[in-house]
Amino acid sequence: MDSTMLQTLVLVGIAIFLVLRLRNVLGTREGFEKPVTREAPNNARRQNQFEVIEGGPDRDITDHVAEDSDAAKALAAMKRIEPGFGVADFIGGARSAYEWILMGFERGDLAELKPFLDSDVYESFAEVIESRNAQGLSVEAEFIGVREVQLLDAEISANNLAEITVRFVGEMTSVVRDNAGDIIEGKKDEIKRQKDVWTFARQMGSDNPNWQLVATGE
């Protein structure tokens, strides 16, 4: 074997070795992939994260209200008092509470709802149900779903009492029957849109995690 052939074999061997080493480090890429971005040193990453958290807007708040609004400031204050509080989580809970409370009212069953209703709201609901029962009327309702949930306002008092007002647009079927079972209001298969503005309140920092419905409107 002459020297030229020997040099060629050595170069080929080195090339194969380098390819295998690179494959072990970088992995195999197939198709289109985003380019790899070189990570900053640990100190730089921590500094960038700190700047985003401290200096940037809180998307959990600004996704629901204007950044510089009084409502945004109130929500930020709630988070300072309770770091575990999240606006998106509250909205999700309010959505579920809306269906639960609304259907409890339609069925005339307020016993299990009482801890979640302010005394004035409870009495108002109870009066309507008692009047309905006295007339021998009954309601058949089915909740279809919530079409819209919008946070309208938020406030917090000096003693950390928080209030959040939410607008709901729901869909349901509902009929009212007399004591003979005849329908006197509504149509059984007609879906109607229900619009409500509810205000929930809670003492931030308390051990009780439940929000109470303190006001209702349209």
Side-chain angles (χ1 to χ4, degrees):
M1 182 181 296
D2 59 23
S3 60
T4 302
M5 179 64 71
L6 181 61
Q7 290 175 358
T8 302
L9 291 175
V10 171
L11 291 174
V12 170
I14 293 173
I16 293 173
F17 173 78
L18 291 175
V19 168
L20 292 175
R21 289 285 295 170
L22 286 171
R23 234 179 126 170
N24 289 335
V25 173
L26 301 176
T28 302
R29 297 188 180 186
E30 296 178 356
F32 178 82
E33 296 183 7
K34 293 182 179 179
V36 175
T37 303
R38 186 179 301 239
E39 289 191 359
N42 290 337
N43 291 339
R45 285 205 304 272
R46 284 196 292 267
Q47 182 178 0
N48 291 337
Q49 291 171 356
F50 179 82
E51 289 173 356
V52 171
I53 294 172
E54 296 297 329
D58 185 342
R59 293 297 300 273
D60 184 49
I61 293 176
T62 58
D63 281 351
H64 301 282
V65 295
E67 182 178 351
D68 296 326
S69 64
D70 291 338
K73 295 174 184 177
L75 293 170
M78 296 176 200
K79 285 193 163 196
R80 285 194 294 271
I81 298 168
E82 285 190 19
F85 169 71
V87 181
D89 293 335
F90 170 84
I91 293 294
R95 177 190 288 266
S96 299
Y98 177 67
E99 176 183 355
W100 184 50
I101 294 173
L102 183 64
M103 296 310 294
F105 171 75
E106 296 288 355
R107 291 191 303 267
D109 183 11
L110 294 183
E112 62 180 6
L113 302 181
K114 191 171 184 179
F116 305 94
L117 304 178
D118 174 77
S119 58
D120 290 340
V121 173
Y122 178 84
E123 291 175 6
S124 176
F125 283 9
E127 286 178 7
V128 174
I129 293 172
E130 289 173 4
S131 175
R132 201 164 64 195
N133 292 340
Q135 299 176 63
L137 304 178
S138 61
V139 177
E140 293 179 4
E142 180 181 355
F143 194 81
I144 305 301
V146 179
R147 289 184 60 89
E148 180 183 341
V149 182
Q150 180 184 4
L151 197 158
L152 297 182
D153 197 13
E155 299 178 357
I156 187 165
S157 66
N159 63 349
N160 297 339
L161 178 63
E163 291 191 358
I164 301 179
T165 300
V166 183
R167 179 178 182 267
F168 300 95
V169 179
E171 288 185 339
M172 61 186 296
T173 62
S174 177
V175 297
V176 180
R177 296 183 183 271
D178 61 18
N179 52 13
D182 297 326
I183 295 176
I184 61 174
E185 182 181 331
K187 296 180 180 179
K188 194 169 184 179
D189 298 324
E190 181 181 50
I191 297 176
K192 68 176 183 178
R193 190 165 293 181
Q194 177 84 16
K195 298 179 181 179
D196 294 284
V197 175
W198 287 5
T199 300
F200 299 90
R202 180 175 172 268
Q203 189 73 38
M204 302 301 292
S206 71
D207 294 332
N208 185 355
N210 297 323
W211 291 75
Q212 277 195 330
L213 177 62
V214 298
T216 62
E218 295 181 4

